[in-house]
């Protein structure tokens, strides 16, 4: 059992996966790996007793209560100097365990690795150089928001700055930065930790997520009083974060005066550079798609469009030994909006999302869809990936 578990963990590290799922079924234990956002089966153990022993072994490694099988538990352990985050959950046929590999994320840190084009990268760097204000990263769960924040913290991390984070949970340990894991059971929530930070002479505060009005108001106040605040919101677009804050009860003038940069992002899979192949019908499919959405002007802006090659992934049977189904790794598509005087004025006038969007389009802000199209034309991904990951 111990040897089998070690083999599973080693194979996970070798495959550079993000998660391992141990799922008890009626006839045994199913083990699946998540790689580049997709789950695939690694092993199916028909011996239910062996599966139970593996679950118990993981709980022992994580210093969890092996006798408690009725309630979820969280823990962590290290294997070959790699940090694994552990989450258990009772199910019909036993406890399900999900392991999250933290080291694979840490290796991806760096603004240059995120997928920002040069214009948006410059906007982000400019905002990170500000002494105060709020940077909000938006997107659904699993869109890479936390990795973007950590990459920004890596840039800011300096002995000359007091940087504090409040998270749920801490996903990557960053040396030199004070990180706090909230514990709601004892009253240590986002708002309480954030209030404590403001009495600790901070320069930069990273707030894992704005979830309620109290937290939002403290974050806004911090951004207005000499602190740089980095945080996330679960919204579908960058501009929707403005209405989300207003919906929580934050005043429009507080939103307009505190936010300096809005970022929306989505993760899409990257084509394998070794085995990708040209899609001869790719440009035609792209033109038909954009025409159906009334967005054909996106292609009209591109010079020598007819000479560009569009690529597709090979099937699982045809893909090479270095990738999975013709894809290897993921990259983010971004929409980045810098706050300016005109945008502030629109917010103060309680402008609708449609009015705000028209203004950002007039400024030449690249939408998430346009960012995805850019990645297609660069040969990085496929139309299908963009459709599935952004729309």
């Amino acid at each position: 059992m111990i040897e089998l578990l070690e083999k599973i963990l080693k194979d996970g590290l070798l495959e550079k996966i993000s998660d391992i799922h141990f799922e008890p079924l009626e006839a045994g234990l199913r083990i699946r790996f998540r790689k580049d956002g997709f789950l695939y089966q690694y092993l199916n153990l028909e011996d239910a007793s062996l599966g139970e022993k593996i679950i118990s072994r993981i709980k022992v490694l994580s210093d969890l209560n092996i006798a408690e099988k009725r309630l979820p538990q969280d823990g962590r352990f290290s294997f070959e100097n790699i940090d694994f985050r552990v989450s258990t959950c009772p199910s019909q046929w036993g406890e399900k365990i999900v392991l999250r590999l933290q080291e694979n994320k840490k290796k991806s840190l760096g603004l240059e690795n995120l997928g920002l084009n040069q214009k948006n990268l410059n906007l982000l760097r400019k905002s990170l150089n500000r002494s105060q204000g709020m940077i909000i990263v938006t997107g659904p769960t699993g869109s890479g928001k936390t990795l973007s924040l950590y990459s920004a913290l890596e840039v800011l991390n300096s002995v000359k700055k007091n940087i504090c984070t409040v998270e749920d949970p801490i996903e990557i340990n960053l040396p030199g930065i004070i990180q706090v894991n909230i514990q709601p059971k004892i009253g240590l929530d986002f708002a309480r930790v954030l209030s404590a930070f403001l009495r600790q002479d901070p320069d930069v505060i990273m707030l894992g997520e704005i979830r309620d009005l109290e937290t939002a108001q403290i974050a806004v106040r911090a951004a207005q009083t000499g602190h740089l605040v980095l945080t996330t919101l679960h919204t579908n677009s960058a501009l929707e974060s403005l209405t989300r804050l207003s919906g929580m009860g934050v005043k429009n003038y507080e939103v307009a005066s505190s936010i300096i940069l809005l970022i929306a992002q989505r993760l899409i899979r990257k084509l394998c550079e070794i085995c990708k192949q040209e899609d001869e019908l790719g440009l035609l499919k792209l033109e038909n798609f954009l025409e159906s959405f009334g967005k054909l002007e996106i292609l009209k802006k591109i010079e020598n469009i007819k000479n560009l090659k569009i690529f597709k992934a090979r099937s699982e049977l045809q893909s090479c030994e270095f990738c999975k189904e013709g894809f290897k790794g993921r990259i983010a598509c971004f929409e980045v909006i810098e706050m300016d005087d005109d945008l502030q004025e629109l917010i103060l006038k309680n402008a609708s999302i449609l009015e705000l969007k028209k203004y950002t389009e007039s400024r030449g802000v690249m939408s998430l869809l346009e960012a995805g199209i850019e990645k297609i034309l660069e040969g990085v991904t496929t139309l299908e990936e963009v459709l599935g990951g952004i729309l």
Side-chain angles (χ1 to χ4, degrees), residues 155-295:
V155 173
L156 294 168
N157 196 1
S158 164
V159 70
K160 296 181 179 181
K161 290 183 178 180
N162 178 18
I163 303 177
C164 308
T165 77
V166 50
E167 307 171 57
D168 180 26
I170 296 171
E171 296 197 23
I172 302 175
N173 294 318
L174 296 175
I177 292 177
I178 303 301
Q179 296 173 268
V180 178
N181 205 129
I182 68 166
Q183 300 181 58
K185 290 181 180 179
I186 62 171
L188 191 67
D189 55 20
F190 280 117
R192 192 163 188 174
V193 176
L194 204 52
S195 296
F197 279 170
L198 294 179
R199 298 189 293 271
Q200 295 272 314
D201 186 33
D203 296 297
V204 180
I205 297 173
M206 192 272 266
L207 172 62
E209 182 186 350
I210 294 179
R211 297 178 179 175
D212 53 57
L213 176 58
E214 184 181 8
T215 305
Q217 288 177 329
I218 298 171
V220 165
R221 187 170 74 244
Q224 292 173 329
T225 55
H227 310 92
L228 183 63
V229 178
L230 282 64
T231 189
T232 71
L233 274 173
H234 286 287
T235 61
N236 290 324
S237 70
L239 291 174
E240 283 181 35
S241 61
L242 303 175
T243 56
R244 176 65 58 85
L245 290 172
S246 297
M248 286 182 182
V250 181
K251 305 298 183 184
N252 284 347
Y253 70 86
E254 294 177 321
V255 172
S257 62
S258 60
I259 295 174
I260 58 175
L261 196 72
L262 295 169
I263 301 173
Q265 65 179 83
R266 298 288 189 281
L267 284 177
I268 54 174
R269 289 187 296 174
K270 295 167 60 180
L271 283 165
C272 174
E273 288 296 327
I274 296 174
C275 69
K276 70 180 183 182
Q277 63 184 87
E278 185 177 353
D279 185 353
E280 295 179 355
L281 299 176
L283 186 57
L284 179 61
K285 288 190 293 185
L286 182 57
E287 287 176 342
N288 290 338
F289 163 73
L290 291 176
E291 187 175 16
S292 66
F293 273 80
K295 297 287 186 180

Side-chain angles (χ1 to χ4, degrees), residues 52-111:
E52 290 177 2
K53 291 176 183 177
I54 288 177
I55 297 295
S56 295
R57 174 64 178 168
I58 294 173
K59 292 177 73 174
V60 169
L61 290 173
S62 311
D63 198 25
L64 300 178
N65 184 353
I66 60 172
E68 180 56 78
K69 300 180 180 181
R70 303 165 301 168
L71 297 172
Q73 298 184 68
D74 294 304
R76 61 177 65 225
F77 68 89
S78 292
F79 176 77
E80 295 193 351
N81 296 319
I82 305 300
D83 191 29
F84 286 76
R85 200 176 82 207
V86 183
S87 174
T88 77
C89 184
S91 69
Q92 182 181 11
W93 305 110
E95 286 183 285
K96 174 179 177 177
I97 287 186
V98 176
L99 307 183
R100 175 150 290 185
L101 284 68
Q102 302 301 91
E103 184 64 18
N104 288 339
K105 285 187 174 183
K106 194 168 185 177
K107 289 178 180 177
S108 302
L109 292 183
L111 296 182

Side-chain angles (χ1 to χ4, degrees), residues 289-302:
F289 163 73
L290 291 176
E291 187 175 16
S292 66
F293 273 80
K295 297 287 186 180
L296 203 55
E297 71 274 4
I298 293 176
L299 294 183
K300 293 178 181 178
K301 300 176 186 177
I302 301 168

